Amino acid sequence: MSESAAAALAVPAWPPHGLALAPRLFAERRDSRETAFDRWVAGLWLARSGRRSAHLRRRAALLARVLAQSALVGGQTAAQLRAALPAAARAAFVDRDPKALALALAIVREAARQTLGLLPHPAQLIAAAYLVEGRCVEFDTGEGKTLTAALAACIAACAGVPTHVVTVNDYLAQRDATTMGPLFAFFGLCVGIVHSGVAQAKRAAEYACHLTYCTNKDLVFDYLRDRVGSRGLRSNAQRSVQQLHTGNRHDEGLRQRGLHFAIIDEADSILIDEARTPLILSALHDNGAAQAAWGAMLEVAGRLDADRHFKLQGEAQVPELLPAGRRWLETFAAGEAEGGAPDIALNELLDEFRRVEWVREHYIVQALRALHVLRRDQHYVVSEGKIVIVDEFTGRLLADRSWEQGLHQLVEAKEGVAITAQNRTLARLTYQAFFARYLRLSGMSGTLREVARELGSVYLVRTTRVEPNRPCQRITLPTLLLPDRAAKEAAIVAEARAALERGQAVLVGTRSVWASQAIGSALAADGVAHRLLNALHDADEAELIATAGQPGAVTVATNMAGRGTDIVLAPEVAAAGGLHVVLSEWHESARIDRQLFGRGARQGDAGSCRAIVALDDEIVQLHASALAGMLARRWPGQPPAWATTALRRLVQAGAESNNAAQRRATMRHDRVMRDQLAFAGLPE
């Protein structure tokens, strides 16, 4: 391993040293400058599993210490527990003392029993220990991640370390902070909450608490706001001098106080799946363009023919103009194109449209993307006369997000809704760059083994699996691969009916809004009562998913809706076989398939699952159309299991390869942008 890679693997001392005279504006790990080879070596090293026997011995020794200490602290008073934790927590977190870590875990375990009525089981104690050490933990769905994160956060906060517990949505941030509040209050810790419903003026106070529960997007955007507000200043001393010089003593101040320690729930979703798209902080900016000019742009793009003037390049379907398309646009800009010009002159959008080739091509490519790539009820929905982006990973609406560089306005023109002003970019940052800056980073998810190497190379964290407290009882039924979507929907209806007749509850997972609506319509046509949960029907999401285990319940939910909420089984449903989960389309990663199946058979409960997919599913046609066609010709009915498995692996390997390439490209672009902004002296 090279010296730079070895240095990157070293955990910095705590608290950060070398900052006494002029503390940095943001306490954070400095951006690493290692090469791609260094990152590859680091990922390979951190992803290695090591000898299983050594892991088991270490876990057994840790658990034995915790249980031995638990016997001692069990008879102590609340005051004694409060007094003993800070020293043990600091020795455990800062000095990495295993004996102190066992004592700290025993204390917070006893406090959880007294305040919450919950006694953490051995798997939770081991997982919490790994979080304190700064690891990502693969911890099965339903094993109690909320309490596990709280144990680790309690130890870190009592060690004097500002701690962020990062969740994927507003509901989970609020719920987890409230639910675990009595445990934190027991040790005199104040808990902050930051999500989209918290006003900007109140966020600095929330981040100033001992620990803060926050959503990933709010956390990063608040960081960017602080960066923009600091105007490129590097230290608090510089900020004070500037305020003194300019007389501006009434600015809004900084929200955050540094990136010290983070515990990320659903780490694969945040650190991997959502890392393909950079987060961009923007402000409304109207360039004076006529509203109707966006429609004219779509009209021009609509005259271009696929495969003649443009093509959709690669698996991401990126529009690319062909030479014939460029020539046509050039003649059109000169007023000589066949068919004439639209009623609205295009120079009302930009004066440079007729003069500057790259401006013309940029907006036409954006218009092609709006027309041929972005789909209603999949990538966005029309809600209350507005275009609202759908998070493709969670199926939730992103009401405060918009596409940039005219794309959002073109989609608005496409759907005939009121057109908003364009956004001007103020700052941008990727998840890779942001979370890699934490002085210590940890996370949990039920599906991390497949991305352990990427987590190691990008974020410099090791991934460790913790076995469940009780053996999994899930029954996985053979996959049904059907000729088309109509046959698939009929099979899903039959599957739901059969499960209901056995007394099971049913959860059907889909990848998009329109797919959930199609399956819902098929169920309704057959007289199967069901409830729909997607971006258009997301009221009382937690309540809806929590009751999905009741008798006769059939729930159709988009990708990962209700994630983080336990599905509690009614006794009669548990006795009949538990929750039956149906996967209606393979996802881009086998991880996400396992996440959906993990909604059932939690904590030793009964449960079953089956994938019912079609050869004409979008993801199959996009990544393995040739093999799908061959299977359809060779086996008009159900192909053999080995052929179905081969198709799934090919589809998901292609999708994962494409997604990984996008993440690498995003990271490379982010590094280039950071270098340019650093040279210019501007914020990110």
Side-chain angles (χ1 to χ4, degrees):
M1 184 184 301
S2 69
E3 292 183 0
S4 58
L9 294 179
V11 177
W14 201 279
H17 57 277
L19 306 179
L21 295 179
R24 296 179 66 193
L25 197 61
F26 300 96
E28 60 186 26
R29 185 193 296 266
R30 299 181 186 275
D31 290 332
S32 58
R33 308 306 302 175
E34 72 275 5
T35 65
F37 177 74
D38 292 328
R39 292 192 298 272
W40 180 82
V41 172
L44 189 65
W45 174 261
L46 291 171
R48 66 186 181 90
S49 59
R51 295 190 334 186
R52 178 173 174 80
S53 58
H55 283 296
L56 293 178
R57 285 196 301 271
R58 182 176 182 273
R59 295 174 189 177
L62 173 63
L63 188 58
R65 287 195 189 103
V66 174
L67 296 179
Q69 293 287 355
S70 295
L72 297 176
V73 304
Q76 294 183 352
T77 65
Q80 289 173 321
L81 293 175
R82 295 189 192 99
L85 183 58
R90 186 163 184 84
F93 194 94
V94 179
D95 301 328
R96 298 178 178 272
D97 184 344
K99 294 181 180 179
L101 178 58
L103 175 58
L105 286 171
I107 293 173
V108 295
R109 180 175 187 255
E110 175 62 20
R113 185 189 67 81
Q114 294 184 18
T115 59
L116 304 173
L118 300 173
L119 186 64
H121 54 69
Q124 289 175 311
L125 296 172
I126 294 171
Y130 285 144
L131 293 178
V132 170
E133 293 177 356
R135 298 191 183 203
C136 280
V137 179
E138 182 173 276
F139 202 38
D140 285 356
T141 301
E143 288 296 303
K145 298 186 185 70
T146 301
L147 178 57
T148 302
L151 298 177
C154 199
I155 292 174
C158 284
V161 179
T163 300
H164 296 156
V165 182
V166 187
T167 64
V168 293
N169 61 54
D170 295 358
Y171 167 76
L172 291 178
Q174 184 73 47
R175 184 204 68 180
D176 292 355
T178 303
T179 303
M180 297 292 112
L183 173 62
F184 302 130
F186 181 88
F187 294 105
L189 301 173
C190 62
V191 183
I193 303 175
V194 174
H195 53 64
S196 62
V198 177
Q200 289 293 327
K202 298 181 179 179
R203 295 194 176 192
E206 300 297 323
Y207 285 117
C209 293
H210 295 103
L211 58 105
T212 304
Y213 279 78
C214 49
T215 63
N216 53 317
K217 290 184 174 63
D218 285 282
L219 179 66
V220 180
F221 279 125
D222 285 343
Y223 178 88
L224 287 176
R225 291 185 183 99
D226 283 350
R227 282 288 191 181
V228 171
S230 69
R231 299 175 179 85
L233 300 178
R234 297 296 183 182
S235 71
N236 284 311
Q238 291 179 350
R239 183 179 176 84
S240 299
V241 170
Q242 185 191 62
Q243 290 177 341
L244 182 64
H245 177 71
T246 62
N248 181 17
R249 304 190 181 194
H250 303 288
D251 63 359
E252 63 180 0
L254 300 179
R255 296 160 184 81
Q256 297 177 354
R257 52 181 175 145
L259 308 181
H260 298 268
F261 176 51
I263 301 171
I264 303 177
D265 190 18
E266 309 299 354
D268 58 332
S269 177
I270 294 174
L271 299 179
I272 300 297
D273 296 332
E274 297 193 44
R276 284 186 284 169
T277 305
L279 296 179
I280 299 173
L281 182 66
S282 60
L284 290 178
H285 172 69
D286 190 358
N287 65 356
Q291 301 263 316
W294 297 107
M297 192 72 68
L298 287 177
E299 184 178 341
V300 174
R303 298 182 184 184
L304 299 177
D305 298 327
D307 298 326
R308 177 188 171 197
H309 296 122
F310 73 93
K311 63 179 179 179
L312 299 179
Q313 182 71 16
E315 296 172 346
Q317 299 288 280
V318 178
E320 178 182 333
L321 286 173
L322 299 174
R326 292 190 175 92
R327 289 193 297 271
W328 189 93
L329 282 177
E330 186 176 352
T331 56
F332 173 83
E336 302 171 358
E338 181 181 352
D343 295 335
I344 304 297
L346 288 176
N347 58 4
E348 291 182 3
L349 179 63
L350 284 176
D351 292 337
E352 298 102 324
F353 185 88
R354 294 184 182 277
R355 297 186 292 105
V356 184
E357 180 181 3
W358 73 265
V359 172
R360 182 164 60 245
E361 292 187 5
H362 166 77
Y363 279 100
I364 290 300
V365 167
Q366 292 289 70
L368 291 171
R369 186 180 176 194
L371 288 172
H372 302 290
V373 179
L374 297 181
R375 300 179 182 176
R376 181 170 178 169
D377 292 339
Q378 180 176 354
H379 300 102
Y380 65 91
V381 299
V382 179
S383 177
E384 299 179 352
K386 297 179 180 179
I387 299 297
V388 183
I389 299 174
V390 175
D391 189 323
E392 62 181 301
F393 307 109
T394 66
R396 295 185 176 91
L397 295 179
L398 302 176
D400 58 344
R401 302 281 297 277
S402 63
W403 291 298
E404 61 174 342
Q405 300 180 12
L407 181 59
H408 203 87
Q409 289 70 30
L410 288 162
V411 174
E412 289 171 331
K414 169 186 170 182
E415 297 295 343
V417 303
I419 297 177
T420 59
Q422 287 194 77
N423 286 329
R424 178 171 59 91
T425 298
L426 300 178
R428 57 169 283 154
L429 191 65
T430 62
Y431 279 122
Q432 293 99 321
F434 175 75
F435 284 108
R437 293 178 182 179
Y438 271 91
L439 297 175
R440 190 174 298 181
L441 181 68
S442 63
M444 289 183 295
S445 178
T447 48
L448 286 177
R449 71 189 72 162
E450 296 93 340
V451 292
R453 183 175 296 185
E454 186 169 350
L455 290 172
S457 64
V458 175
Y459 303 101
L460 301 176
V461 294
R462 186 184 298 281
T463 300
T464 306
R465 173 164 175 78
V466 174
E467 297 299 329
N469 188 46
R470 299 174 183 170
C472 181
Q473 303 296 324
R474 184 179 303 112
I475 299 173
T476 302
L477 302 174
T479 298
L480 295 182
L481 179 59
L482 302 169
D484 52 43
R485 282 192 288 269
K488 177 181 73 174
E489 290 170 4
I492 291 174
V493 172
E495 187 83 3
R497 278 200 171 278
L500 291 176
E501 291 173 359
R502 293 192 298 266
Q504 292 182 275
V506 180
L507 174 66
V508 181
T510 68
R511 292 186 66 232
S512 63
V513 174
W514 65 264
S516 67
Q517 292 176 323
I519 292 175
S521 298
L523 289 168
D526 200 65
V528 178
H530 66 283
R531 295 179 298 179
L532 196 62
L533 178 56
N534 58 34
L536 296 177
H537 305 84
D538 60 353
D540 301 320
E541 174 184 325
E543 184 276 332
L544 184 60
I545 204 71
T547 57
Q550 299 304 302
V554 177
T555 307
V556 181
T558 49
N559 181 22
M560 293 301 99
R563 190 173 181 180
T565 303
D566 283 334
I567 299 178
V568 180
L569 300 180
E572 55 269 43
V573 172
L579 182 70
H580 183 58
V581 181
V582 178
L583 171 71
S584 64
E585 187 173 358
W586 288 319
H587 292 92
E588 293 183 338
S589 170
R591 288 183 298 106
I592 306 178
D593 292 349
R594 291 200 290 126
Q595 288 163 4
L596 177 63
F597 290 150
R599 302 314 306 269
R602 298 183 176 204
Q603 278 280 2
D605 288 340
S608 56
C609 62
R610 188 199 294 272
I612 303 178
V613 297
L615 288 171
D616 63 352
D617 283 340
E618 180 183 23
I619 192 171
V620 174
Q621 291 299 310
L622 185 60
H623 297 287
S625 58
L627 179 57
M630 185 183 73
L631 294 182
R633 293 189 296 271
R634 178 65 178 82
W635 294 284
Q638 172 69 34
W642 65 265
T644 301
T645 300
L647 179 64
R648 177 184 62 79
R649 288 179 176 173
L650 180 62
V651 166
Q652 293 179 333
E656 278 282 65
S657 176
N658 179 62
N659 293 340
Q662 289 186 39
R663 291 192 293 269
R664 289 193 297 270
T666 299
M667 194 161 59
R668 285 195 301 270
H669 180 67
D670 186 68
R671 288 176 181 271
V672 171
M673 290 289 293
R674 293 207 307 270
D675 289 342
Q676 292 174 344
L677 291 172
F679 180 78
L682 298 173
E684 292 166 296

